[in-house]
Amino acid sequence: MINEIIKKNGITFGVAIGIVSALITATIYAIDLNLFTSWWIGVLSILTYLVLGIVLLSKTKRELNGVFSFKDAFTTYFIAILIGILISTLFNILLFNFIDPSAKDTLSELMIKYTVNMMQKFGTPASAINEAIAKLRENSPYSTVELLKGSVFSIVFSSIFGLILAAFFKSKSTQE
């Protein structure tokens, strides 16, 4: 049985994370599709989710009067990221596959150009670059299947991060 505070905060922050993620995507989409290939956008997004995770766990620990086991901390975080990632993925599927499917094609071409430029900077042989281009053309990173695959990766990566945060936020006196 999950504590009501953990459930409430996990769901509330999960919805907030999902909305923030959808707003970030919508803003980038509205401003310039080239921003999807910018490394600093990724860093900014990760920092945003880090801050939200810290606020979530701090708030929950405070509401539990400082008694916060590792399991409870991880559960709180996992509920939030699961809901946030699902909302974000659903938004991306709708945006790139139903609302504006042409953006998916544009983004695929931008990703290919970005990848080619990076590979050329590192002195990658032309044959390897051509092979990479062929693979990128096979699977659009914004197709429904690829977005769902990406959400699984995001859940795994976020869970690892959640384990680290849970270890940091757990009560020091908890024997688990």
Side-chain angles (χ1 to χ4, degrees), residues 69-132:
S69 69
F70 177 82
K71 178 185 175 203
D72 287 345
F74 179 74
T75 301
T76 305
Y77 186 81
F78 185 77
I79 290 169
I81 60 111
L82 184 65
I83 292 170
I85 290 169
L86 291 176
I87 290 170
S88 175
T89 302
L90 178 63
F91 177 79
N92 288 340
I93 289 170
L94 289 173
L95 177 62
F96 296 116
N97 292 282
F98 297 101
I99 296 171
D100 188 3
S102 66
K104 176 175 56 175
D105 299 331
T106 303
L107 281 171
S108 291
E109 288 304 313
L110 289 172
M111 293 300 286
I112 289 169
K113 286 178 186 174
Y114 177 79
T115 302
V116 168
N117 286 336
M118 289 303 291
M119 293 176 87
Q120 286 173 340
K121 284 181 184 176
F122 288 112
T124 307
S127 61
I129 292 174
N130 290 336
E131 185 178 317

Side-chain angles (χ1 to χ4, degrees), residues 11-151:
I11 292 170
T12 302
F13 274 77
V15 170
I17 290 168
I19 290 170
V20 166
S21 181
L23 286 173
I24 289 170
T25 300
T27 302
I28 293 169
Y29 170 80
I31 293 173
D32 184 3
L33 291 178
N34 287 301
L35 291 174
F36 280 104
T37 62
S38 298
W39 64 269
W40 61 272
I41 292 288
V43 170
L44 188 62
S45 295
I46 290 169
L47 288 175
T48 301
Y49 303 131
L50 172 65
V51 169
L52 287 171
I54 289 170
V55 170
L56 164 64
L57 294 178
S58 297
K59 179 182 189 303
T60 306
K61 185 175 184 176
R62 187 173 51 254
E63 289 178 10
L64 292 172
N65 300 317
V67 180
F68 206 24
S69 69
F70 177 82
K71 178 185 175 203
D72 287 345
F74 179 74
T75 301
T76 305
Y77 186 81
F78 185 77
I79 290 169
I81 60 111
L82 184 65
I83 292 170
I85 290 169
L86 291 176
I87 290 170
S88 175
T89 302
L90 178 63
F91 177 79
N92 288 340
I93 289 170
L94 289 173
L95 177 62
F96 296 116
N97 292 282
F98 297 101
I99 296 171
D100 188 3
S102 66
K104 176 175 56 175
D105 299 331
T106 303
L107 281 171
S108 291
E109 288 304 313
L110 289 172
M111 293 300 286
I112 289 169
K113 286 178 186 174
Y114 177 79
T115 302
V116 168
N117 286 336
M118 289 303 291
M119 293 176 87
Q120 286 173 340
K121 284 181 184 176
F122 288 112
T124 307
S127 61
I129 292 174
N130 290 336
E131 185 178 317
I133 291 170
K135 285 183 182 178
L136 287 171
R137 290 196 194 281
E138 283 176 24
N139 297 317
S140 170
Y142 294 94
S143 70
T144 301
V145 171
E146 293 302 316
L147 286 170
L148 290 172
K149 284 182 191 176
S151 69

